[in-house]
Amino acid sequence: MNHPALARYPLALPGHHLLQVLHESENAIIVLASAPGGQPVVIKRFKFDASKLDQYLVDEFLMESLALGLLAHRGLVRPIDAGLLAGALYMIMEYVPGHTLRRQLSLMPLPPLEQALQWFTEITLALGEIHGIGLLHQDLKTSNILVRNDNSLALLDFGLETRLLVATGFMREDEIYCTPYYISPERIIGDPPDERTDLYALGVILYELLVGHKPYESTSLEELLKKQAIAPIPLLPATLHAYQPLVNGLLAKFPENRLQSTNIVVRLLQDIKQK
């Protein structure tokens, strides 16, 4: 397959036939391919030169990819394999037909409440699986969530490569690796991420699912980050008032005041539904 990105960042995996470039970001190329058995897979080929990395960083990436693959949770796009070939670090993932939740919400900005809560629950449970093995997502947003053809969701694009981007110079250590609309206040000031950082992004998605737009919006990056840091948590419409404690608990400005785990989030949602 001829493609300018692959000409610059080649990848030739034995037995794999590259079919189509699905996406190109600043850091990686996403390619649809045919595996040796004929089944479709997705390959993420990172652009940085991994041959210059310390071996322990590569080993950590490979082990974390394996750990995610062993979860076999339907709410996660499962890594199948990962490796290093001629300086190119790659991850092979299952191919999930569908489109992103971001696209879905652009077509249907305000899903029915039952559907919104179902999606939110699926995202929360999948995030809990990641946290359960000691990993973080670090870039949770609607464009990193796939809507399968049966309307169920699957998370993708886990933040496994963040340390590698810093080590190879693709990202500064003090640079924020996430999306401004979903960034937590503590990340804006440079504090390290933890589970509660992901939970803040989860709160942004909840608000978006319930109301049809993000809690904080601006055409100015500076103004948007300021709102994330200090603006009051927006109030839900009166008809959704019962879910305000959940929104407040996820969008709390200080991580110590935030809901502390996905298990707590699920329990609070169940309590609200039962009232």
Side-chain angles (χ1 to χ4, degrees):
M1 181 188 66
N2 294 322
H3 191 280
L6 288 174
R8 187 175 179 187
Y9 302 100
L11 180 67
L13 293 180
H16 289 78
H17 179 56
L18 306 186
L19 302 173
Q20 178 186 356
V21 173
L22 300 176
H23 178 68
E24 181 182 0
S25 69
E26 183 180 353
N27 306 316
I29 304 166
I30 311 296
V31 183
L32 177 65
S34 174
Q39 73 272 26
V41 295
V42 172
I43 303 174
K44 184 173 186 177
R45 194 273 197 215
F46 298 99
K47 292 181 176 180
F48 50 75
D49 184 358
S51 65
K52 300 177 181 178
L53 289 169
D54 288 338
Q55 187 60 43
Y56 82 91
L57 287 172
V58 176
D59 290 342
E60 280 186 354
F61 173 82
L62 298 179
M63 286 188 295
E64 289 174 354
S65 300
L66 176 62
L68 279 169
L70 292 175
L71 286 177
H73 188 272
R74 197 168 188 274
L76 302 171
V77 176
R78 184 173 61 89
I80 298 171
D81 194 11
L84 180 63
L85 181 65
L89 193 68
Y90 65 88
M91 179 191 293
I92 303 174
M93 298 170 285
E94 66 172 320
Y95 171 60
V96 178
H99 54 269
T100 67
L101 182 58
R102 178 181 179 181
R103 181 185 171 200
Q104 180 71 27
L105 294 178
S106 72
L107 301 173
M108 182 180 60
L110 198 59
L113 180 59
E114 183 177 353
Q115 178 65 83
L117 295 177
Q118 175 62 32
W119 278 340
F120 174 72
T121 301
E122 290 180 25
I123 298 166
T124 305
L125 293 174
L127 186 62
E129 291 289 320
I130 299 173
H131 290 174
I133 59 172
L135 299 180
L136 304 176
H137 191 289
Q138 298 194 61
D139 198 17
L140 187 63
K141 55 186 177 183
T142 54
S143 58
N144 278 341
I145 301 170
L146 288 177
V147 183
R148 298 178 187 268
N149 292 334
D150 65 2
N151 220 31
S152 64
L153 300 184
L155 275 58
L156 76 160
D157 206 11
F158 318 107
L160 300 182
E161 68 268 21
T162 305
R163 294 187 301 275
L164 308 183
L165 294 173
V166 173
T168 54
F170 260 67
M171 183 177 73
R172 300 190 312 272
E173 193 162 4
D174 60 349
E175 189 175 354
I176 299 167
Y177 182 54
C178 56
T179 303
Y181 285 109
Y182 300 87
I183 187 173
S184 64
E186 67 271 16
R187 291 293 285 138
I188 294 174
I189 62 174
D191 288 350
D194 61 19
E195 292 182 5
R196 298 167 298 182
T197 307
D198 282 344
L199 291 174
Y200 184 90
L202 181 67
V204 175
I205 293 173
L206 171 62
Y207 189 91
E208 195 171 357
L209 287 171
L210 292 177
V211 180
H213 60 81
K214 298 175 180 67
Y216 306 111
E217 296 182 316
S218 176
T219 56
S220 162
L221 176 60
E222 181 180 1
E223 180 66 22
L224 178 58
L225 295 180
K226 183 178 179 181
K227 286 182 177 181
Q228 296 279 29
I230 64 175
I233 298 172
L235 296 177
L236 294 171
T239 54
L240 298 171
H241 177 72
Y243 299 96
Q244 191 68 50
L246 186 55
V247 169
N248 291 349
L250 288 168
L251 294 183
K253 301 298 182 184
F254 297 101
E256 59 268 25
N257 296 334
R258 210 168 292 153
L259 297 176
Q260 299 293 295
S261 72
T262 56
N263 288 337
I264 294 174
V265 173
V266 171
R267 286 201 299 270
L268 179 54
L269 179 60
Q270 290 173 341
D271 290 344
I272 293 170
K273 286 181 175 181
Q274 291 171 359
K275 289 182 180 178

